[in-house]
Amino acid sequence: MFLPKLSSFISAMLFAVHPIHTEAVTGVVGRAETLSSVFFLAAFIFYSKATKYKKYTGWKYLCLSMIATATAMLCKEQGITVAGVCAAYEIFVVQKIRPNHVKEFVKAALSTKSSYHFPKSNGPTKRLAAMAVTTFILLLGRLQIMGSQLPVFTRFDNPASVAPTTTRQLTYHYLIGVNFWLMLFPCDLCCDWTMGGTVPLVESFTDMRNMATLSTYFFIAALVWVAFKNEK
């Protein structure tokens, strides 16, 4: 899809044998992770097949993608994020729209003398609209099931969720760095990170772990910058 067949095969094998996946299968509750992942990937694959139709919507594969998206969310709520992945794939990979295109489009919209026209195609527009509607319906259904309330976590389930705002935000951002590091160097794994305060809360800005958070965001930003730079 993105790489030559050999590179794709090697990447798939690395994904299949990555040690971090043991966290999802060492406990029965982890089956939600694996099931959601299966349908997450299925939804994306079906959507990518739908984009093969340049002038048409590809309703067959699009409907399969929407069904897989709903199933992924039913397995685990995070599965719904595949809708965003599909949208990003459509916009940046299939349609090859870049930030400078958006900038030019905004200028054109504000100026009556500009001759720039944003690329238009009924197929991509319908696909994105269908995924947006599907996502909205799924979120609405989720809210109805929850009684229009957010889930309530206990201190044991999620210590950061009941911590003061500053501590909560610093910890949540730090956890991104923790998970990023585990993907690169899976030396310390755990089947349940909530047990006994496995990851101590980040309670102040002077905590040295904030440097890991900043480094993670800097690295991600650098990757995005390099990716867009190479596309020019």
Side-chain angles (χ1 to χ4, degrees):
M1 187 179 298
F2 300 104
L3 302 171
K5 290 185 177 180
L6 179 59
S7 300
S8 298
F9 176 77
I10 294 175
S11 299
M13 290 299 98
L14 288 174
F15 176 82
V17 301
H18 198 292
I20 200 172
H21 296 315
T22 58
E23 294 185 346
V25 296
T26 50
V28 175
V29 70
R31 63 185 176 181
E33 305 277 357
T34 52
L35 285 172
S36 181
S37 297
V38 168
F39 290 106
F40 185 105
L41 294 174
F44 181 64
I45 291 173
F46 284 135
Y47 190 89
S48 67
K49 288 182 178 294
T51 61
K52 301 300 181 183
Y53 301 91
K54 300 299 182 181
K55 297 182 180 180
Y56 304 99
T57 307
W59 284 110
K60 174 184 175 181
Y61 290 112
L62 183 59
C63 289
L64 289 173
S65 178
M66 291 187 289
I67 293 173
T69 299
T71 309
M73 192 198 77
L74 291 174
C75 293
K76 191 166 185 178
E77 293 172 337
Q78 288 88 334
I80 199 172
T81 57
V82 70
V85 174
C86 291
Y89 176 75
E90 178 75 65
I91 295 171
F92 297 112
V93 178
V94 179
Q95 303 304 318
K96 301 185 185 306
I97 295 176
R98 298 293 177 262
N100 61 308
H101 295 157
V102 178
K103 183 178 179 180
E104 292 176 6
F105 173 73
V106 172
K107 288 183 178 179
L110 298 176
S111 175
T112 57
K113 298 181 180 180
S114 176
S115 59
Y116 179 82
H117 296 285
F118 204 66
K120 293 182 179 179
S121 179
N122 287 331
T125 302
K126 290 180 180 178
R127 285 194 294 267
L128 290 173
M131 289 301 292
V133 171
T134 300
T135 303
F136 177 77
I137 293 175
L138 290 174
L139 290 175
L140 189 62
R142 181 68 177 86
L143 288 174
Q144 289 294 325
I145 294 174
M146 290 293 295
S148 300
Q149 295 180 350
L150 294 174
V152 178
F153 297 101
T154 64
R155 183 177 295 276
F156 177 79
D157 294 328
N158 190 345
S161 66
V162 295
T165 302
T166 302
T167 299
R168 181 170 63 252
Q169 294 303 323
L170 289 176
T171 302
Y172 283 163
H173 287 289
Y174 171 68
L175 289 176
I176 296 175
V178 171
N179 286 282
F180 195 83
W181 176 249
L182 286 175
M183 287 194 297
L184 298 176
F185 191 62
C187 58
D188 298 313
L189 300 176
C190 180
C191 64
D192 189 352
W193 286 96
T194 63
M195 296 177 60
T198 310
V199 180
L201 300 179
V202 181
E203 299 180 339
S204 69
F205 288 100
T206 58
D207 193 313
M208 292 302 296
R209 288 176 294 173
N210 290 317
M211 296 301 297
T213 302
L214 294 175
S215 298
T216 301
Y217 281 115
F218 177 79
F219 183 71
I220 294 174
L223 288 178
V224 173
W225 181 78
V226 171
F228 281 116
K229 181 181 179 181
N230 291 338
E231 287 291 337
K232 293 182 180 180

